[in-house]
Amino acid sequence: MTPARLTGFGLCLTLLLGCARNDLADPPVPLGDFALGLNIVVTDKTQKVPISRNATGEEWEAAMKKAVDNRFGRYQGTKLYNIGISVDGYALAPPGIPVVAAPKSILVITANVWDDAAQQKLNAEGKQITVFESLSGETVIGTGITRSKQQQMDALSYNAVKRVEDWFLQNPEWFGLPSVVPATVINVTAGSDS
């Protein structure tokens, strides 16, 4: 590899590493009256992609519950909301040939949320979410080589629960906040004759 290519490769890795930032040390984004009630994870229908490391239902339950507690346990609202997550499917990249045949890890979940006091589900249908591991210098060469199974599961669980939080933020009325106003408002009077 020429010095110029080596330098370029190093810069690319640095940029990718910058993408994999953990935001749990930051203050939580506003989520109205939310406080975490029950943290339920089910794995009875989990499917594994054939080319994957094995992970038990208990391992997925522990990883997902930890990710939910880490993210949503930070909220100190006045109402309890229960989160239910089904781990639908996964692939944990096994060790392989770097770059050329480095499979990617993936996790598919379905999330639901309930108002605990009202015993009422807030979403009409479960929200299915698919995530990959975050971009980093490690994922460029395949996480089967650079990460343990537990590290892969923790990274996927973190990403999935972050997406659950994003989904909650798209539905602020569930948590006593005003509904989201569309970014663009069409002026119906524009161009009309008066």
Side-chain angles (χ1 to χ4, degrees):
M1 190 177 274
T2 66
R5 282 189 178 176
L6 189 58
T7 302
F9 183 69
L11 288 172
C12 286
L13 283 180
T14 302
L15 288 171
L16 287 171
L17 286 169
C19 294
R21 188 175 93 61
N22 185 323
D23 68 339
L24 291 176
D26 300 338
V29 293
L31 200 53
D33 55 15
F34 183 94
L36 180 61
L38 299 177
N39 175 1
I40 303 163
V41 178
V42 295
T43 59
D44 55 325
K45 296 180 182 174
T46 304
Q47 296 184 357
K48 180 187 83 162
V49 173
I51 301 175
S52 172
R53 290 174 162 167
N54 288 320
T56 66
E58 291 78 15
E59 289 173 314
W60 276 116
E61 286 175 28
M64 289 300 302
K65 283 186 175 185
K66 178 183 172 194
V68 169
D69 280 336
N70 287 347
R71 181 159 299 280
F72 291 108
R74 305 178 301 159
Y75 289 97
Q76 303 297 317
T78 56
K79 278 182 71 175
L80 293 178
Y81 293 88
N82 304 324
I83 298 175
I85 293 176
S86 167
V87 178
D88 301 332
Y90 72 92
L92 297 174
I97 301 168
V99 183
V100 178
K104 303 292 185 242
S105 296
I106 185 172
L107 175 64
V108 181
I109 67 164
T110 300
N112 291 285
V113 60
W114 287 264
D115 179 323
D116 184 76
Q119 292 295 294
Q120 180 179 359
K121 189 170 145 184
L122 299 178
N123 55 301
E125 295 182 7
K127 174 71 171 177
Q128 191 166 76
I129 295 170
T130 302
V131 294
F132 295 89
E133 288 180 88
S134 298
L135 288 175
S136 72
E138 293 177 337
T139 58
V140 170
I141 61 172
T143 61
I145 295 169
T146 59
R147 289 183 180 173
S148 69
K149 175 180 78 173
Q150 189 62 55
Q151 289 172 318
Q152 290 173 321
M153 294 173 72
D154 289 344
L156 288 167
S157 298
Y158 169 90
N159 289 345
V161 174
K162 171 70 174 139
R163 290 275 303 279
V164 171
E165 183 183 58
D166 293 342
W167 173 50
F168 286 0
L169 293 171
Q170 293 166 13
N171 296 280
E173 66 280 3
W174 292 347
F175 311 108
L177 293 170
S179 294
V180 175
V181 177
T184 58
V185 178
I186 299 171
N187 183 349
V188 293
T189 60
S192 62
D193 296 329
S194 45

